[in-house]
Structures are given as structure tokens and as C-alpha cells.
Amino acid sequence: MKESSYRPESGRLKWVYGIAIVLFAIAASRLFYLAIVEKDFLKNQGEMRAVRTDSIPATRGMILDRRGEPLAVSTPTWTIIANPKALWALDPTKDETTPEAEITRLAQVMGVGRAWLQERFETNRSRSFMYLRRQIPPHEAEQIMAAKVVGVTKTKEYKRFYPAGEVAAHVVGFTNIDDQGQEGFELAYEPRLKGQPGELTYLKDLKGNVIRTFGNEKPEQPGTNINLSIDMRLQYLAYRELKAAVTEHRATSASAVILDVHTGEVLAMVNQPSYNPNDRSTIEYEQLRNRAVIDLFEPGSTMKPFTISAALASGQYNTESVIDTSPGYLRFGRRTIRDSGNYGEINLETVLVKSSNVATSKIALSLPQDSVWNLYYELGFGRTTPVSFPGEVGGVLPIHPKWHPAEIATLSYGYGLSATTLQLAQAYAVLANYGYKVPVTLLKQDVAGDGEQVIPRNVAKNVVEMMEAVVKSGSGKAAQIPGYRVAGKTGTVHKVGANGYEYDQYIALFAGIAPASDPRLAMVVMVNDPKGREYYGGEVAAPVFSRVMEGALTTLNVPPDLPEGLREVRLDKKVPYRVVQGR
């Protein structure tokens, strides 16, 4: 019988071939699917794991004074970052190093404890980003990068530097470590200063190291430079004299403001205490206050020129009007307003020279009820100034449906309202500008902003002339400046405590204008709580005004206006007045 040609081995082989062909077909189909259909998806996924787009920090705009002197500049620094996830992914069986060895090398080059660094990497084990050191000099960054620790890279950042230090700190402010404005102009003008960051795309390996960059996809745009109205020559001068006065009189704090009366520009704004924005390790919260726009006080007798202005503007009074102050006091029920003596019948100029509370009260009470209040408001009291400084307060200018006579009287000589140093300087600048009010600004102005006439020109001129007598023969003698005519007014105010006025704590004030014949500058000096034997405005604040204003007029080349025969002036520091409210 003939044997069959069929062999079991050949059947099994066909099955193997068949399965192989099917598997190959499946694999080919999958490859086709991945290479053609899923090409874009897989490419994107790969790029997501290997290609990164980082932000390129933009250089922050500089803050400059009016003459171009830098007050805030950005310097390039390097920040060291790590990828803990990449470090812990090291495999001792495949890689030439271990996570522990890398941490040891990194701790050595950074000069830190290994245990501390190990703990940081342990805590951030699952993260791909961690700061190691921020904003360090280039040479330190190069030393760390030379160690070539796995997952450790550097990135460029900018650090803010303030050349003027504490002298301009309250105006300029500062940024945080992320270069974001926190105080002062750094905060107020953050959108303009910060610029627009760029974008950089690069390729990295599995360990997080940058292999190559693809170039700038989007270049950064530097921030805009800002020119302040501040003149650092005057700023340094005012800061030095104010600091010396605070030290001499053991005062708690102080502030001073100088304004250009024609443009409304703030040429100097200084405070005590201050701080160094370049070293914030010892800064206390109270030092950050820009007291010139934040701290409130009752302006006291420095408001009397405005009450006189309201009287003259009303038409009920003229420069020759006489007020009878006898018997030297004025009673409102249980409330008594007093002068230092019985001055009898005095004219308006003498009202300011003697700083008569009685006369000022009688004048205010004789006017329409809201006359004084309306002028105060028009001058800017009770509302913030146009500078819009961060944290600025508007003060308090009370209004009543029906005024009690005592309320009108006390308001007329500066009690019952509160103001800032800048607000008071703004009001005196209006007098100096012959009643024309221009917007106050901390930005350099090419031309003055639109203003308004809030005091009749002839009235303002007459009041400035009356204030000259205060400096010539009244409580403001210490404000005299050789070669210049000066107009001003002193003020000494009891501080308000928890239980009312504190009769052993004072605020010393002087507000003045120079040169009086053609005013250019207005300045206010406020010294809070002087603790020495001298505490009157004429003793404490007026001498500061004299020294600073003399330097400012000389620096700005303002010609002297005092007649030759009157150049020898008395600069008496002691003033023999003992009535606090009047002086």
C-alpha cells in the first residue's frame, strides 16, 4: 500500500508561518498608524517631554530724578535651579553617579550643609523645579555650574539696586525678589516699569540638561524709564537737615516737602525715620511709612493765613481792617479760646504776627458759615492730592449740617481737621502762586497741568506780604535767609492721644515761601514729638526750613531779592513765645 505524503511537521510549520504573517501585519499596521495617523500627536508628546519654552525676564525700567540721576536700576544676576525628579531618577547600575554623590558635590560647591541640602531634595523629590540660590553674582553661579551636578541649571534674573539708598527710599520704594513693586513708585508704576518678558525654546535631555536652544521665539521688551520730579540735590539737603533736627530734638519722626509753586512738581520729599532698600534684613514696618502722604496731624496756626484769605476774598475785610481781641479770650459755654495776652485792636497783619486765636476766631465767625470750610476744600484739604501715591490719605475736613460757633472758631486756627505734610505744602504753593492752584505731581513736568484760581490774585499777594512780617518780627525769625525775603507761618500743635490732647506732646510746624517778592518754592517742615526743651514750630521746624531753603535757592540759581540794607538778618533760634496754640 502506498504511503501518504502528508507530514504533521509541515502542517505545524504552516501555522507558524501564518501566525508570523499575522503578527507582522499587525506590527506593520501599528507602525503605519503611529507613523502616519498619530504622527502629529506623538511629535507633540515627544516635544512636551524634551522641548521646553521658558520666559526671558525683561529689564525693569529705571527710575530717575528730574536731572537723569538714577534712583532705581536693574543689574543682571543668576539664579541656580534644580530638577529633583531628574536627580532621583539616576540609576546606580546604569549611571556613573548616584543621587547621594551628586548632593554631596553640590553641598560642597555651594558651601552649605549636606544634611540640609539632602532634606530639600527629599522634600521636593517628585518635583522638576526647585530654587537653590537666587540672584547671585555671575562668578558664584559659574563656580556652582562648573561642578556639573545632574539636574542643576542656571537662569538669568535681574536684581534692583537703589543708588540713593535711604535718602529717596520712601518715594522710590522697592521690589521683592521676583522683581515686583512693593512700595512707592515701584508699586505705583509697576505696569510701566516691569516690561514684557520674552520666550525661549530649548531642547533638554532625560536628565534635564539643556542640549541646545532654538533661539528667541519672542524677544523681551524692557520696561519704560520714569523721570520723577525729585531733584536729588534738594532731596539730599532736606534729608540731611531733617535727620539732624530729629536727632537734636529727640523727635519721634518728621517729614518735609518742597514744591515748585509754578509747576506743582515735588522737588523734595523726605521722612524720618527711613530705611535702606538695598539691605532689608533690619527693616521695621514703621520705617516703610511715607509720612509726608500718610501721617495725619492738625495743622494748627499754619492755617491762619487761609482764614485771612477767606476774609479778604469775602469783601468784608481789607488789609487795614481792625479786630478787637480784648480781653484776650473768647468763651463758648465751657470752652475758652485764649491768646498769650490782650492784644487789643490789631490789624490783619498783626493777627498773623501775634498768631491771635481770638482774632482769627472772630473773623471766621463774622463770615458766611461755610466760607472758611469752602476755601480749605478748594485748597485740597480733606481729599488726596493728584500724586495718587500708594497708601496716601485724604485727611479729615469735617462738615456739619449746622455748625456750632466753637467748631467754626477752632477750624479757623487749624484745630478739628487733619492733613498731611504734602497737603499743607500744596496749600502754601497756591498762596505762593498768587492763588492759582496747579496739580501737584511727583513726575517731571515739561509744562504745568491745567489749574484754577481758588484765591483772588490780589488777596493771595496781600497775605504773602503779611506772612513776611511773621518771619521778620514774629515767631518765624529763625526761618530768615540772608539775601532773600521769606514769608511763612509757624505752628505748634498739641498731639491727640487716647484721652484727648496731650499737653506734653507736640507737633512743631513751619510752612513758608521764598523768595517772597516772586515766589518760586514752597516748603513745609513737620517734626513730630520733639522731646527736648525746644518744641515750638519757630524753634524746631523754622531753622530746618531756613537751612534747606537757602541751599535750594542757591542750587536752583534763584537770585536774591532782599534789599542791600536788610541783608544782615537775625537767625535767632530761640523764640520767646509760650502759648502753644498760637505758636
Side-chain angles (χ1 to χ4, degrees):
M1 184 177 183
K2 189 177 179 179
E3 294 182 359
S4 172
S5 62
Y6 173 77
R7 290 181 298 175
E9 292 81 359
S10 62
R12 287 195 293 270
L13 189 60
K14 290 179 180 179
W15 275 104
V16 171
Y17 286 154
I19 293 172
I21 292 172
V22 171
L23 292 175
F24 177 79
I26 293 173
S29 299
R30 181 61 178 169
L31 289 174
F32 176 82
Y33 177 80
L34 295 176
I36 304 301
V37 180
E38 292 291 319
K39 176 183 176 181
D40 293 337
F41 172 79
L42 293 174
K43 182 180 178 181
N44 290 336
Q45 290 297 308
E47 290 180 349
M48 287 174 61
R49 289 160 174 77
V51 178
R52 289 289 183 269
T53 299
D54 275 354
S55 175
I56 304 173
T59 307
R60 194 173 178 86
M62 291 193 296
I63 299 178
L64 311 165
D65 87 332
R66 66 184 301 105
R67 299 168 60 245
E69 183 175 337
L71 303 179
V73 295
S74 293
T75 57
T77 61
W78 290 100
T79 288
I80 307 300
I81 59 178
N83 184 344
K85 193 174 182 179
L87 184 69
W88 291 113
L90 289 172
D91 186 350
T93 63
K94 298 178 182 179
D95 298 305
E96 297 178 355
T97 184
T98 64
E100 290 74 15
E102 294 296 279
I103 292 174
T104 299
R105 288 198 303 120
L106 183 59
Q108 289 174 347
V109 73
M110 288 180 59
V112 298
R114 189 197 179 287
W116 173 82
L117 192 59
Q118 172 92 19
E119 183 181 355
R120 285 204 64 193
F121 274 98
E122 289 279 5
T123 303
N124 296 279
R125 177 184 285 267
S126 61
R127 297 181 179 178
S128 57
F129 180 89
M130 179 180 77
Y131 284 118
L132 287 176
R133 274 205 179 145
R134 299 197 66 179
Q135 298 182 351
I136 61 176
H139 70 276
E140 291 186 21
E142 288 303 321
Q143 290 176 358
I144 296 174
M145 294 308 300
K148 296 183 179 180
V149 177
V150 173
V152 175
T153 57
K154 67 177 182 179
T155 184
K156 192 176 184 180
E157 288 190 321
Y158 290 94
K159 184 177 181 180
R160 211 63 162 159
F161 176 67
Y162 303 95
E166 64 183 55
V167 177
H170 290 114
V171 176
V172 177
F174 60 85
T175 61
N176 61 15
I177 197 168
D178 293 317
D179 217 20
Q180 298 169 336
Q182 300 297 295
E183 294 284 345
F185 259 76
E186 292 278 34
L187 174 60
Y189 283 80
E190 170 72 12
R192 287 179 57 182
L193 289 167
K194 71 177 183 179
Q196 296 296 324
E199 291 181 352
L200 175 66
T201 303
Y202 61 90
L203 185 68
K204 70 172 187 175
D205 60 18
L206 294 178
K207 295 180 180 179
N209 299 314
V210 176
I211 300 174
R212 66 185 177 92
T213 60
F214 296 105
N216 286 356
E217 292 190 351
K218 178 183 175 184
E220 69 274 21
Q221 298 179 4
T224 304
N225 294 341
I226 293 178
N227 279 86
L228 301 186
S229 61
I230 297 294
D231 187 324
M232 283 308 298
R233 298 172 299 177
L234 276 58
Q235 184 82 359
Y236 278 115
L237 176 61
Y239 183 84
R240 181 190 69 194
E241 295 299 336
L242 192 69
K243 187 173 184 178
V246 168
T247 301
E248 178 185 356
H249 298 285
R250 295 183 288 121
T252 300
S253 61
S255 62
V257 173
I258 303 176
L259 294 181
D260 184 313
V261 303
H262 300 305
T263 65
E265 293 171 296
V266 180
L267 301 182
M269 178 183 286
V270 296
N271 299 281
Q272 280 293 314
S274 188
Y275 64 94
N276 183 359
N278 297 308
D279 179 14
R280 294 169 224 168
S281 58
T282 59
I283 291 179
E284 297 179 2
Y285 174 76
E286 281 297 310
Q287 295 174 319
L288 299 177
R289 299 169 62 84
N290 185 348
R291 298 176 184 276
V293 298
I294 293 176
D295 284 10
L296 295 172
F297 55 87
E298 290 182 308
S301 294
T302 59
M303 298 299 289
K304 289 174 181 174
F306 306 119
T307 301
I308 299 298
S309 298
L312 292 174
S314 71
Q316 295 179 221
Y317 292 83
N318 57 50
T319 55
E320 302 302 321
S321 296
V322 173
I323 296 91
D324 185 3
T325 64
S326 298
Y329 58 85
L330 200 59
R331 286 201 176 99
F332 299 96
R334 293 183 297 176
R335 177 75 178 272
T336 302
I337 294 173
R338 298 182 183 276
D339 285 337
S340 60
N342 184 358
Y343 301 131
E345 294 184 349
I346 55 177
N347 62 19
L348 297 185
E349 180 179 291
T350 307
V351 171
L352 293 182
V353 172
K354 298 293 186 181
S355 199
S356 172
N357 295 332
V358 172
T360 309
S361 299
K362 284 188 172 183
I363 291 170
L365 289 167
S366 69
L367 300 174
Q369 190 177 75
D370 293 330
S371 295
V372 173
W373 188 96
N374 287 337
L375 180 56
Y376 284 5
Y377 183 79
E378 290 298 321
L379 290 167
F381 295 102
R383 47 187 171 148
T384 57
T385 67
V387 299
S388 300
F389 197 87
E392 181 185 7
V393 296
V396 177
L397 181 60
I399 185 169
H400 306 285
K402 184 176 181 180
W403 288 85
H404 188 278
E407 293 170 338
I408 296 175
T410 54
L411 189 70
S412 72
Y413 58 85
Y415 279 75
L417 75 156
S418 61
T420 64
T421 305
L422 179 60
Q423 285 178 319
L424 190 57
Q426 174 182 243
Y428 269 76
V430 174
L431 275 178
N433 202 26
Y434 299 130
Y436 191 74
K437 181 185 177 185
V438 294
V440 176
T441 179
L442 272 163
L443 295 174
K444 183 181 178 182
Q445 298 283 96
D446 294 325
V447 295
D450 294 334
E452 57 178 331
Q453 195 79 35
V454 297
I455 300 175
R457 181 179 177 85
N458 65 314
V459 169
K461 193 172 186 297
N462 288 334
V463 173
V464 170
E465 291 175 356
M466 293 177 190
M467 289 194 301
E468 273 195 83
V470 176
V471 177
K472 286 179 181 178
S473 57
S475 58
K477 288 180 182 178
Q480 294 176 2
I481 302 173
Y484 293 92
R485 292 166 55 186
V486 177
K489 186 70 186 76
T490 60
T492 308
V493 184
H494 287 292
K495 291 189 65 175
V496 179
N499 300 313
Y501 289 107
E502 302 287 348
Y503 285 90
D504 59 349
Q505 296 181 25
Y506 310 91
I507 291 176
L509 295 164
F510 185 84
I513 298 163
S517 62
D518 184 14
R520 170 73 185 279
L521 302 177
M523 180 179 180
V524 171
V525 179
M526 186 279 287
V527 181
N528 175 33
D529 195 19
K531 299 178 180 64
R533 292 193 303 174
E534 298 171 337
Y535 53 84
Y536 294 112
E539 299 172 322
V540 176
V544 178
F545 172 93
S546 174
R547 292 190 290 267
V548 175
M549 185 61 77
E550 180 178 9
L553 294 171
T554 303
T555 299
L556 298 176
N557 296 316
V558 179
D561 65 339
L562 192 63
E564 194 68 31
L566 297 178
R567 284 183 181 272
E568 295 298 327
V569 299
R570 291 177 60 202
L571 294 177
D572 296 338
K573 192 174 182 183
K574 308 288 184 181
V575 182
Y577 292 100
R578 311 310 298 173
V579 177
V580 173
Q581 285 187 338
R583 295 293 176 265

